Amino acid sequence: MQITFKLYASLAQYLPHDRPPGNEVRLDVADGASIAQVIEPFGLPMKLVHLVLVNGRYVAPEDRATLALVEGDVLAIWPPIAGG
């Protein structure tokens, strides 16, 4: 199945370098893949995986290993962000 994977701010550096410009990539993943399974091959430090949304809805840390993604989902991840 295909999903859209978006990484924001400093996390964009973990996306493949041969992708089109931007902060997203279309991925082929196994049916029912979890968020954790999608993230793992990209080598994202888990301490930087702060805000996780699927189709604009927040996913709590305790649900990221078990929530099954479906065809067409948009998985978006932000690092911790500090303001001033």
Side-chain angles (χ1 to χ4, degrees), residues 2-6 24-27 38 53 72-76:
Q2 278 203 336
I3 66 164
T4 300
F5 185 46
K6 296 182 178 186
E24 70 180 61
V25 64
R26 297 278 298 164
L27 295 178
V38 171
L53 302 177
D73 275 350
V74 177
L75 171 59

Side-chain angles (χ1 to χ4, degrees), residues 9-63:
S10 62
L11 294 180
Q13 68 182 326
Y14 292 93
L15 289 172
H17 297 290
D18 60 349
R19 74 183 187 282
N23 68 324
E24 70 180 61
V25 64
R26 297 278 298 164
L27 295 178
D28 288 315
V29 299
D31 288 344
S34 70
I35 293 167
Q37 290 170 319
V38 171
I39 292 171
E40 192 270 329
F42 291 91
L44 288 142
M46 292 313 290
K47 68 180 181 180
L48 296 181
V49 176
H50 182 67
L51 178 62
V52 176
L53 302 177
V54 173
N55 302 325
R57 292 187 179 168
Y58 175 72
V59 179
E62 60 270 16
D63 297 328

